[in-house]
Amino acid sequence: METHATRSKTIPTTRFKLALKSLQVFLPVFLMFAKATSAHAADATLDSGDTAWMLISTALVLFMTIPGLALFYGGLVRTKNVLSVLMQCLALTALMSVLWLVFGYSAAFDSTGMEVGKVGLHSFIGGCSKAFLLGITGDTLTGNIPEVLFFAFQMTFAIITPALIVGAFAERMKFSAMLWFSSLWLILVYLPICHMVWGGDGAFFADKGVLDFAGGIVVHITAGIAALVACIVIGPREGYQTTAMIPHNLTMTLTGTGMLWVGWFGFNGGSALAANGDAAMAITVTHLSASAAGLTWMGIEWIIHQKPSALGLATGAVAGLAAVTPASGFIGPIGGLCIGIVSGAVCFLASTSLKRKFGYDDSLDVFGVHGVGGFVGTLLVAVFAAESFGGNQGSLNIGSQFGTQLCAAVVTAVYTGLVSYILLKGIDKTIGLRVTAQDENQGLDLALHEETGYRY
Amino acid sequence: MKKIEAIIKPFRLDAVKDALAEIGVAGMTVSEVKGFGRQKGHTEVYRGSEYQVDFLPKVKLDIAIDDERAAEVVAAITKEAHTGKLGDGKIFVSDLINVIRIRTGEEGPDAL
């Protein structure tokens, strides 16, 4: 069971210490945590309630990628590329799952040789004792859920993260290059960052006290930064800013938005790894942040362009969902509302003014929405996790926590940016990153897959 | 014989079709088309990017009719498709050289 040093285990321990300090004031809170800790101490018993919730959460998060994200992105591209985007999401789902079994899970969550405060190789990457899930059966537990369920739940995160990046280089990257980039990126960026944040005691960021409940750093900052680098390295689409590149089916995009929104309940609620109050609070703040961010984006558009747009409302909601992710298990409803409002406004600026100013073609605004949203949430968790702001992190010091969060976010961004750049350049030099101009004009559906999305 | 091509606003199609059916027009072909005239296009905004959309969706009716009934058909379309705003559309009337009914091989006015 020592290998399961995951969030479920580390977080209550931290809280336990914090609660001790303010025992008199927060006696009821303390009792709650004491109960949670003793439940862990009892160990090795499967909780059917927790297991049921995690089974559902796993399905919900997979549903976010296929078809949620696929539809969200598919609707935003032009008719001639719709299938290529859907296929990229579907192919990544399959490929990342296989990699996750082969060594991904092990590299992210094997905690062999790790102990608190000790910095070594395994502070940055896990071991390989769990490759192919060797030795793990349906009876092996992580906390009080089957380990194979924890494996499957985390697998859905490893699927959606590279799939998010697809939006940045949509409509122009070679399918083979996309597969190579995503695979190498998973190995060199996602796995170490995931391990550093969620690897448990002895993991680099975890030891520093970095708070990332469901993946603001692990998922959204990594995907967002990789997206920014990818769209700059591959260059803008043919005719970018001179020809109209209008989303071909916003009905699809809005359908996908709904699926993402609902699926996010599994993403954030499931990250509690238990069917408890933390999970309930997580889905509630998640929903509130999405609502507040959607309304904020819509409101700003209403003022600037005189019309509220469906795409604006949907994009704002997704920004709110991304931003609340790192904070969702630590904050209260007001925190959710505030993170929503801030991310709605900041992501709007990033996806419109900032993008226009620098002229990069982040085609479906992965950086503007996920990267920036992830940053906003990762920083604001330091504020709203504090008890004085409605959070559950006891006497957390906002100033120092903010510094910790900022450091982790910047280190992750720099590392992700650097590795992504090298990978993209390497692929460009070898098999080539981009389709020919002729193929791009024809559309990737026909040029790369010899199919079309629509026949009418 | 005359061929009447009318470009109208899509939402007036049902009214025009009913009016033509009332005066005994036995058939027509309808297509969804795009184009612009004095109405020009419009702008669309997606995530803050403005796009000028020049071609607006319209409906085109093709009707073949006897010479003597052409004016009546034109009047019915004009009346029902009219809203008084830019973009109501146009009607083109041209001479029709021949019509063939494929099933029977009939030609000319008999095939109408």
Side-chain angles (χ1 to χ4, degrees):
Chain A
M1 287 313 94
E2 294 332 299
T3 50
H4 318 133
T6 53
R7 284 162 286 166
S8 66
K9 217 162 184 187
T10 53
I11 291 159
T13 322
T14 325
R15 282 189 211 146
F16 182 70
K17 286 179 199 156
L18 291 166
L20 261 179
K21 288 180 193 164
S22 44
L23 180 61
Q24 286 172 315
V25 189
F26 305 113
L27 189 64
V29 183
F30 167 69
L31 287 175
M32 196 182 80
F33 291 142
K35 197 176 152 208
T37 315
S38 64
H40 280 284
D43 225 327
T45 46
L46 182 139
D47 184 307
S48 61
D50 290 348
T51 304
W53 167 236
M54 293 310 296
L55 286 164
I56 294 167
S57 292
T58 303
L60 282 172
V61 183
L62 181 62
F63 199 64
M64 284 172 69
T65 308
I66 47 167
L69 184 72
L71 291 175
F72 182 76
Y73 280 173
L76 290 174
V77 297
R78 290 164 289 175
T79 311
K80 62 186 178 181
N81 295 313
V82 59
L83 214 48
S84 78
V85 172
L86 298 181
M87 177 155 176
Q88 287 174 359
C89 291
L90 195 56
L92 284 180
T93 301
L95 183 58
M96 296 305 119
S97 303
V98 173
L99 292 175
W100 191 246
L101 172 71
V102 175
F103 53 78
Y105 173 64
S106 192
F109 289 104
D110 180 7
S111 57
T112 313
M114 289 167 61
E115 46 183 283
V116 184
K118 193 181 104 182
V119 178
L121 174 66
H122 290 309
S123 307
F124 302 96
I125 190 81
C128 45
S129 74
K130 287 171 190 277
F132 286 100
L133 281 180
L134 284 177
I136 291 158
T137 69
D139 294 329
T140 316
L141 298 183
T142 290
N144 41 16
I145 63 167
E147 179 162 8
V148 71
L149 176 55
F150 180 69
F151 162 90
F153 178 68
Q154 288 297 340
M155 177 176 70
T156 59
F157 283 58
I159 290 168
I160 199 165
T161 310
L164 285 172
I165 308 171
V166 161
F169 51 68
E171 306 193 288
R172 57 203 188 279
M173 194 185 271
K174 282 167 75 170
F175 187 66
S176 55
M178 191 279 306
L179 292 177
W180 276 111
F181 171 69
S182 302
S183 302
L184 295 170
W185 188 87
L186 183 90
I187 297 165
L188 296 172
V189 177
Y190 185 79
L191 296 179
I193 298 292
C194 176
H195 180 78
M196 285 154 73
V197 177
W198 291 340
D201 289 345
F204 187 71
F205 285 148
D207 275 6
K208 301 268 183 233
V210 173
L211 294 175
D212 184 4
F213 191 73
I217 294 172
V218 178
V219 175
H220 297 287
I221 291 183
T222 58
I225 294 294
L228 180 64
V229 173
C231 76
I232 292 170
V233 172
I234 198 170
R237 289 165 290 179
E238 288 278 320
Y240 179 61
Q241 286 182 329
T242 53
T243 58
M245 294 177 175
I246 300 179
H248 91 283
N249 188 343
L250 283 187
T251 316
M252 257 169 96
T253 300
L254 273 272
T255 308
T257 305
M259 291 171 177
L260 282 169
W261 192 327
V262 172
W264 230 290
F265 281 22
F267 200 91
N268 291 355
S271 289
L273 298 176
N276 59 15
D278 281 353
M281 186 58 94
I283 67 163
T284 305
V285 299
T286 298
H287 184 73
L288 291 171
S289 177
S291 305
L295 291 173
T296 304
W297 191 303
M298 184 185 84
I300 295 174
E301 268 191 340
W302 207 334
I303 294 164
I304 295 181
H305 300 293
Q306 288 84 46
K307 302 267 168 70
S309 82
L311 179 59
L313 177 57
T315 312
V318 174
L321 290 164
V324 79
T325 296
S328 51
F330 307 124
I331 62 171
I334 307 289
L337 212 57
C338 294
I339 288 180
I341 293 167
V342 175
S343 60
V346 176
C347 294
F348 173 84
L349 290 174
S351 305
T352 55
S353 321
L354 187 75
K355 182 164 105 163
R356 222 167 301 131
K357 183 158 189 274
F358 290 100
Y360 56 87
D361 181 14
D362 178 5
S363 308
L364 313 183
D365 294 312
V366 186
F367 173 71
V369 172
H370 295 276
V372 173
F375 250 101
V376 167
T378 298
L379 298 182
L380 288 184
V381 66
V383 177
F384 294 106
E387 206 135 42
S388 44
F389 283 90
N392 62 10
Q393 291 298 293
S395 51
L396 163 141
N397 180 321
I398 294 177
S400 74
Q401 187 66 42
F402 191 86
T404 308
Q405 297 296 111
L406 182 64
C407 264
V410 170
V411 168
T412 303
V414 171
Y415 175 74
T416 304
L418 213 62
V419 176
S420 304
Y421 180 81
I422 295 167
L423 285 178
L424 290 159
K425 281 289 182 190
I427 292 169
D428 198 27
K429 289 274 181 303
T430 48
I431 60 169
L433 213 46
R434 193 170 175 141
V435 298
T436 62
Q438 193 187 348
D439 284 354
E440 194 178 330
N441 287 328
Q442 187 182 31
L444 304 192
D445 292 0
L446 211 51
L448 298 186
H449 308 295
E450 291 194 326
E451 293 170 294
T452 50
Y454 304 98
R455 174 131 346 260
Y456 52 71
Chain B
M1 293 177 297
K2 294 280 188 256
K3 184 178 177 198
I4 298 171
E5 287 169 79
I7 317 281
I8 64 169
K9 287 186 163 165
F11 82 103
R12 298 308 303 159
L13 177 62
D14 279 342
V16 171
K17 179 206 67 187
D18 291 344
L20 291 174
E22 214 152 273
I23 59 171
V25 172
M28 68 187 75
T29 304
V30 172
S31 6
E32 291 175 4
V33 295
K34 286 180 174 186
F36 67 87
R38 288 185 204 174
Q39 185 188 8
K40 300 292 182 203
H42 59 242
T43 54
E44 293 181 15
V45 182
Y46 298 96
R47 287 185 183 162
S49 296
E50 280 197 19
Y51 297 101
Q52 177 65 31
V53 177
D54 294 323
F55 297 104
L56 299 176
K58 297 284 168 187
V59 164
K60 187 172 96 160
L61 289 89
D62 287 285
I63 299 161
I65 199 83
D66 289 330
D67 286 330
E68 57 271 24
R69 297 182 62 203
E72 194 186 352
V73 167
V74 168
I77 296 173
T78 309
K79 177 165 175 283
E80 290 302 330
H82 181 264
T83 68
K85 302 221 171 65
L86 285 174
D88 271 355
K90 282 204 169 58
I91 302 173
F92 306 104
V93 183
S94 46
D95 286 325
L96 190 56
I97 297 167
N98 199 3
V99 177
I100 299 100
R101 177 172 281 124
I102 294 173
R103 175 171 55 88
T104 57
E106 289 165 282
E107 290 193 31
D110 292 342
L112 284 173

